[in-house]
Amino acid sequence: MAGSAKQIQESTAAWMRLGKTFSEAQTAAQASVKLLNVSEFTNIDDSTKALLSISQAYKELTYDDVIDKLNMVGDHFSSATDQLAKGLQNAAAVLKTQGNDVDQALALLTAGNDIT
């Protein structure tokens, strides 16, 4: 997994500010770097914020589950992975509250992207 020490440090600090232990924050930071690498995100802050919001709404999923789903949809449909992540970042809590699982949420975002 490629990621500079500075990126991992910044992401780890961001996760720790949210109450994660150092070990949990390191794991989450590695996932943030992974999302950065498989998406069109250009900086670790955006990747971290997106992953944080999505993982807060869909706590039953691992970070890798979230990244794999974003990457799969981004690879197979006309939606960029970072745009899907940003869409979930903004809407995941509401969609989850309304009973949509992450697959349904991604389907809604992908369909919306295809229409616009």
Side-chain angles (χ1 to χ4, degrees):
M1 172 183 341
S4 73
K6 184 175 186 211
Q7 289 174 323
I8 293 170
Q9 181 182 17
E10 289 172 358
S11 185
T12 301
W15 286 99
M16 288 182 70
R17 282 192 296 275
L18 298 166
K20 300 280 187 193
T21 66
F22 182 69
S23 178
E24 292 169 335
Q26 283 182 310
T27 300
Q30 289 172 349
S32 295
V33 171
K34 183 177 179 183
L35 179 58
L36 175 68
N37 289 335
V38 301
S39 71
E40 297 78 15
F41 281 118
T42 58
N43 65 68
I44 193 69
D45 290 335
D46 291 341
S47 174
T48 299
K49 289 175 188 174
L51 190 58
L52 168 69
S53 296
I54 297 165
S55 64
Q56 288 294 323
Y58 296 103
K59 294 179 183 184
E60 68 276 9
L61 299 174
T62 67
Y63 301 125
D64 284 341
D65 289 339
V66 170
I67 294 165
D68 290 345
K69 288 176 183 290
L70 289 168
N71 192 40
M72 189 275 303
V73 173
D75 285 349
H76 291 91
F77 298 93
S78 61
S79 297
T81 305
D82 67 326
Q83 292 301 316
L84 291 168
K86 288 176 187 176
L88 280 180
Q89 177 181 350
N90 294 328
V94 172
L95 291 168
K96 175 70 174 186
T97 302
Q98 296 302 313
N100 297 110
D101 65 23
V102 73
D103 294 323
Q104 293 167 330
L106 285 169
L108 289 168
L109 290 169
T110 302
N113 282 341
D114 285 346
I115 293 169
T116 57

